[in-house]
Amino acid sequence: MLVLVTGATGNIGRLVINSLLARGHQVRALARNASTKLSPEILSRLESTVQSSGYDDIASLDRGCTGVDAIVNAYSGRPELTLEGQLLLLRAAERAGIKRFVAACWSYDWTVLKLGQQESYDPFIAFHNHVDLTSEIRPIYILSGVFAEVFFAVPGHGDFSPKNHGCWDPEHQRLEIWGSGNELWHWTTEHDAAEFAAEIVQRSDADQGGFWRLCSGVNTLREIAAAYERVRNRKVDIEVMGTVEELRERAMQARREGSRRNFWSYIGWFYQLYTVDGTWAFKTLDNEKLGLQTTALDQFLQQNPSI
């Protein structure tokens, strides 16, 4: 199968390429600068690369889609990419007759939300609704919780540290907890996310689309702290910041005082809130349908000694 990977030079895109090649598929990469950001070894194994000037470069989208069997979209989470860019890509897929389309998603379960509840997920909701109304393509959506790399604020992978209203303080190896600390967090490594996408897109039913709820692991914050202590042999300081209701008020106040055009300044509060109050917790998981070996928490920490 020839698979187009868009957003091919990003953290997820590069891993998706590896996962697809490992399964014997041909891969075409579409990006603004694939020739300089992908390694020579990977470039030598690609079917081809397509240079794009941006998400609205229609000509490059059409070149990228010509003759391919499937698309895995690995755009970043910027709203204009998630909605506008992904719709333009989907229209190019329609013109090329492509039916297998993995949408850029890798998120918590936004299917339980209404528009306005989580600004960073509004583009997912809008994209899904618009595609349902207007397209015969049925995208695949992978819901996978929080990326482990983002949770631990690994440089270059996102920053869910307390300065962005997250949990893990990478400078002092401490956790800030709202609630009891015994609430469940679903998390996924970027490697496993790529494996999920590559495995799903090659299935015989991939053209039927739909939602997959998958993750590497499910742990409480206190269990995460214990795993860190076990692997690093050093104590994690835990500071309980307040109750879930106090967190809710803090989040709502930040939204009232902020601007939707700059929602990143307060959205971290809501990532915490909807996790600890269970709003978007996965009720069931689809991991058994794929049968993939996922990364254990201790293993992830061992693989990332900088954390």
Side-chain angles (χ1 to χ4, degrees):
M1 192 165 64
L2 175 57
V3 184
L4 173 67
V5 177
T6 51
T9 60
N11 293 327
I12 299 297
R14 284 178 287 182
L15 292 169
V16 168
I17 289 173
N18 289 334
S19 294
L20 289 167
L21 290 173
R23 287 166 170 78
H25 299 297
Q26 292 181 291
V27 178
R28 181 180 298 167
L30 187 149
R32 287 178 295 176
N33 43 19
S35 61
T36 58
K37 288 208 170 182
L38 294 177
S39 70
E41 190 271 333
I42 290 295
L43 287 169
S44 70
R45 299 176 64 193
L46 295 176
E47 181 266 349
S48 63
T49 62
V50 176
Q51 183 169 342
S52 171
S53 62
Y55 71 82
D56 56 353
D57 184 347
I58 304 301
S60 71
L61 293 176
D62 284 335
R63 288 196 304 273
C65 289
T66 299
V68 306
D69 302 297
I71 295 173
V72 177
N73 184 19
Y75 285 168
S76 71
R78 288 166 45 205
E80 59 269 36
L81 287 174
T82 303
L83 181 54
E84 300 160 65
Q86 194 152 227
L87 278 172
L88 290 173
L89 175 61
L90 181 120
R91 299 308 182 203
E94 290 174 334
R95 291 191 292 273
I98 300 165
K99 298 298 184 183
R100 296 168 181 246
F101 188 103
V102 177
C105 192
W106 296 288
S107 59
Y108 266 106
D109 191 351
W110 44 264
T111 66
V112 301
L113 303 179
K114 296 179 180 178
L115 283 172
Q117 273 188 271
Q118 177 79 0
E119 287 86 342
S120 59
Y121 286 177
D122 282 351
F124 294 139
I125 298 171
F127 174 79
H128 172 256
N129 183 63
H130 193 64
V131 172
D132 265 4
L133 290 172
T134 66
S135 181
E136 293 185 359
I137 293 177
R138 290 293 171 255
I140 293 162
Y141 302 93
I142 300 174
L143 307 175
S144 53
V146 63
F147 280 133
E149 291 82 355
V150 174
F151 179 90
F152 283 105
V154 175
H157 295 259
D159 187 347
F160 193 53
S161 67
K163 70 180 181 181
N164 290 311
H165 317 307
C167 306
W168 177 256
D169 179 351
E171 295 184 16
H172 303 98
Q173 291 77 48
R174 56 186 287 275
L175 270 175
E176 293 187 0
I177 288 176
W178 292 86
S180 68
N182 295 316
E183 298 83 3
L184 295 177
W185 288 68
H186 294 79
W187 58 271
T188 297
T189 68
E190 292 175 350
H191 170 271
D192 289 352
E195 284 286 287
F196 294 155
E199 190 70 20
I200 293 168
V201 78
Q202 70 179 6
R203 288 170 57 98
S204 61
D205 60 355
D207 60 346
Q208 301 302 305
F211 289 88
W212 288 79
R213 292 165 176 83
L214 304 157
C215 66
S216 299
V218 187
N219 294 95
T220 68
L221 292 183
R222 295 186 184 278
E223 288 172 344
I224 290 172
Y228 189 92
E229 292 177 342
R230 185 166 58 247
V231 172
R232 295 285 187 270
N233 194 29
R234 64 176 295 174
K235 180 175 175 54
V236 173
D237 291 326
I238 294 176
E239 183 175 357
V240 177
M241 309 301 291
T243 67
V244 175
E245 287 310 309
E246 288 171 331
L247 171 60
R248 191 184 314 279
E249 178 52 37
R250 178 72 62 88
M252 295 301 179
Q253 180 180 350
R255 174 178 280 157
R256 289 191 298 268
E257 295 174 352
S259 164
R260 284 175 60 83
R261 290 290 299 275
N262 188 31
F263 66 82
W264 297 112
S265 66
Y266 59 79
I267 203 66
W269 293 121
F270 288 93
Y271 277 105
Q272 287 215 61
L273 175 62
Y274 295 144
T275 302
V276 300
D277 76 358
T279 292
W280 55 28
F282 298 152
K283 304 300 187 293
T284 59
L285 290 170
D286 298 312
N287 287 56
E288 289 188 4
K289 294 180 183 179
L290 293 185
L292 292 175
Q293 181 69 43
T294 56
T295 306
L297 181 56
D298 286 32
Q299 180 184 3
F300 172 75
L301 292 169
Q302 291 163 354
Q303 292 170 347
N304 293 271
S306 64
I307 295 174

